[in-house]
Amino acid sequence: MIENSYMVSINGRKVPQKDKVFGINKMAMQMEKERGKESVINATIGALLDDNGELIVFSSVDKAFKDLKPQEYAKYAPIGGTPEFRRAAIDAALGDFSCEDRHVRAVATMGGTGAIRTAISNYSEYGESVLTTDWHWNPYKSITSEQDRNLETFPLFDEERNFNIKAFKMKVADILERQNRLAIILNTPAHNPTGYSINISEWESILNVLEDVRADKKIALIVDAAYIDYAGDEREVRGFIPILMRMPDNVIPFIAYSMSKTYTLYGMRCGALICIAPTEEIADEFVRYSEFSCRASWSNPVRAAQSIVTKIFNDNELREALVVQRTDIRNMLAARGKAFEEAAEKEGVLTEPFSAGFFCSIPHENPEAVAEKLREEGIFVIPLVHGFRVSIASISESVCRSLPRKIKIAMDSV
Ligand code: PLP
């Protein structure tokens, strides 16, 4: 169906009436106002809330923010970010893995969203396809369609509930029959919406698939690592980085890093696109073209956010405090995830394979109906294509334990 508009140019995009997640969250907040907070379970938003429903902000971040001097927030930042921020972003994303044999560069972006947008602008062609998994973060679709790219998917899981390497291999081959370059987005570890983390042997298989791609085809492998710091032991969860360093020269790996969750700085719009390039020329080209895209999209990135991150990085006390606070939150999330999974299993509710992070997902053929049924009970979840998403980041452990029973009742009734 061709959509008409009064004045706007549609340009092939399918633009919904409102953003799904923020729209349902608004409905939940409205109901909270009408019926009281205790009558509503709002499992929609990907922001960390404590057991009383209050936003968690790390005190180290709060302190660094309040100590900012005018020149640390008011001045324009360089287009690609301050040199100190770029270094801090690389250190934060790579952890102990220095990637010395590769040419690693960072460009500051507006959150992880800006990093993904910048990667798509520069490493895929108009009208061509970008590849991701069937379960995926919805904005991948908007980011690609806004820029006149198609989003194609392959099933994330195989019958054994592991990463579906066969489907990945087939889809890569299929798309590369039609085009000469391909941008692939893999959201791991602690995937949104399932909580899945691709394991090391699965990463080795991904490497094997990409090694088999003809050398004249160009691949951009974008690892969306928005939840990496909540995925488990910080070194262990970065175990895939040495595999990125072994990718063949026609593959350019990226890490899209977001400070929104990792620093509880959602509203400050801070992130970085990091390339792990095989040559200096490819790294220089990455910086030049990415900065051009940034300049054309939002111009300069937010200096205040960069100052906060570099302040924390260069101050041992603040940095250690952040690590301790984040570990506590990681443990809190793990406890919530475990409670939800155990209760779901007891109720016979199948969840998608969960490892860590902010979300769990439940497969269902009629997610809209289940979500609507739950809303009648004051429970808000996000219906997706293959099921629905529950944000364990925003509900307490005890709610995680009681919710699967209510979900089961709703599922049985539709
Ligand atoms: N990637 C995923 C999978 C996300 O869930 C999010 C945020 O919800 C982001 C990237 C980017 O977040 P932001 O732009 O707020 O940093």
Side-chain angles (χ1 to χ4, degrees):
M1 194 185 80
I2 297 173
E3 194 175 336
N4 289 319
S5 72
Y6 297 110
M7 293 292 277
V8 99
S9 295
I10 306 285
N11 289 334
R13 297 167 302 173
K14 285 201 183 75
V15 179
Q17 291 296 336
K18 51 185 179 225
D19 180 273
K20 189 180 241 177
V21 177
F22 287 96
I24 299 178
N25 179 49
K26 204 168 155 196
M27 283 159 63
M29 291 194 308
Q30 183 61 32
M31 194 183 276
E32 277 179 8
K33 251 195 219 151
E34 288 161 13
R35 300 192 193 168
K37 254 187 160 184
E38 54 303 328
S39 325
V40 174
I41 295 174
N42 183 356
T44 59
I45 281 283
L48 285 163
L49 304 187
D50 66 16
D51 285 355
N52 300 316
E54 298 298 328
L55 185 74
I56 295 171
V57 181
F58 296 140
S59 59
S60 45
V61 171
D62 189 47
K63 176 162 176 24
F65 180 73
K66 290 189 174 136
D67 286 349
L68 288 182
K69 312 229 166 17
Q71 60 273 30
E72 292 174 314
Y73 62 78
K75 266 167 74 177
Y76 279 126
I79 306 278
T82 64
E84 305 77 35
F85 171 76
R86 291 172 171 215
R87 254 194 315 276
I90 291 171
D91 285 352
L94 301 186
D96 294 343
F97 297 98
S98 61
C99 298
E100 268 158 16
D101 298 341
R102 292 270 159 158
H103 301 266
V104 180
R105 304 284 174 79
V107 168
T109 56
M110 288 285 162
T113 309
I116 295 158
R117 183 189 166 87
T118 305
I120 296 302
S121 310
N122 291 293
Y123 294 91
S124 65
E125 297 279 345
Y126 285 124
E128 291 193 340
S129 290
V130 169
L131 180 63
T132 194
T133 49
D134 55 353
W135 287 95
H136 60 259
W137 186 48
N138 269 340
Y140 295 158
K141 183 80 188 152
S142 344
I143 292 169
T144 47
S145 86
E146 168 75 2
Q147 300 188 87
D148 194 19
R149 273 74 164 171
N150 309 311
L151 188 67
E152 291 194 42
T153 62
F154 65 96
L156 172 55
F157 300 115
D158 62 17
E159 305 79 52
E160 267 86 54
R161 293 159 62 77
N162 298 316
F163 181 78
N164 197 332
I165 193 72
K166 261 197 205 148
F168 174 68
K169 186 179 172 132
M170 272 170 59
K171 201 72 193 174
V172 168
D174 169 36
I175 298 176
L176 287 176
E177 287 277 308
R178 293 177 260 137
Q179 56 190 61
N180 287 327
R181 55 164 75 237
L182 175 61
I184 302 167
I185 310 172
L186 295 178
N187 174 207
T188 184
H191 172 256
N192 174 5
T194 63
Y196 190 68
S197 299
I198 296 176
N199 66 38
I200 292 301
S201 82
E202 291 167 340
W203 266 112
E204 290 288 352
S205 308
I206 291 168
L207 170 65
N208 293 340
V209 167
L210 298 180
E211 279 173 335
D212 284 347
V213 168
R214 267 174 35 194
D216 60 337
K217 303 275 183 181
K218 293 176 182 170
I219 308 283
L221 178 60
I222 305 156
V223 181
D224 177 356
Y227 298 92
I228 193 165
D229 291 316
Y230 298 100
D233 173 79
E234 293 196 5
R235 188 177 162 83
E236 223 169 89
V237 299
R238 286 170 169 77
F240 67 92
I241 291 171
I243 300 176
L244 296 185
M245 287 158 59
R246 286 163 42 214
M247 288 288 162
D249 285 358
N250 59 329
V251 176
I252 179 163
F254 295 98
I255 296 181
Y257 191 72
S258 161
M259 275 74 178
S260 303
K261 334 271 169 180
T262 52
Y263 283 77
T264 61
L265 271 176
Y266 318 89
M268 292 292 277
R269 309 313 302 135
C270 188
L273 181 63
I274 296 162
C275 81
I276 304 175
T279 67
E280 180 114 37
E281 292 72 23
I282 291 174
D284 288 345
E285 179 191 70
F286 156 75
V287 172
R288 179 175 155 216
Y289 280 81
S290 298
E291 287 186 354
F292 182 85
S293 294
C294 296
R295 180 68 164 143
S297 306
W298 51 77
S299 197
N300 315 68
V302 180
R303 181 181 280 271
Q306 294 175 51
S307 299
I308 293 168
V309 171
T310 43
K311 230 179 229 285
I312 294 173
F313 243 80
N314 296 327
D315 180 321
N316 282 343
E317 213 175 293
L318 286 178
R319 197 171 162 164
E320 274 162 29
L322 179 85
V323 170
V324 170
Q325 289 161 358
R326 209 153 51 195
T327 306
D328 284 349
I329 299 301
R330 199 160 56 226
N331 293 339
M332 178 193 84
L333 276 175
R336 289 181 184 177
K338 190 162 176 267
F340 187 84
E341 276 211 302
E342 281 173 2
E345 199 182 339
K346 216 165 111 203
E347 294 298 333
V349 172
L350 180 73
T351 58
E352 290 294 358
F354 170 86
S355 158
F358 282 31
F359 308 105
C360 289
S361 280
I362 294 171
H364 198 274
E365 71 251 0
N366 197 350
E368 293 288 345
V370 180
E372 197 182 326
K373 199 85 206 151
L374 285 168
R375 281 203 293 275
E376 289 167 14
E377 305 300 318
I379 298 164
F380 293 80
V381 299
I382 302 295
L384 301 165
V385 177
H386 303 284
F388 52 93
R389 183 187 87 175
V390 177
S391 167
I392 57 167
S394 62
I395 55 176
S396 68
E397 186 180 333
S398 72
V399 173
C400 284
R401 214 172 279 290
S402 60
L403 189 53
R405 170 123 201 83
K406 296 171 180 156
I407 289 175
K408 174 80 166 95
I409 294 169
M411 282 167 69
D412 287 347
S413 72
V414 300

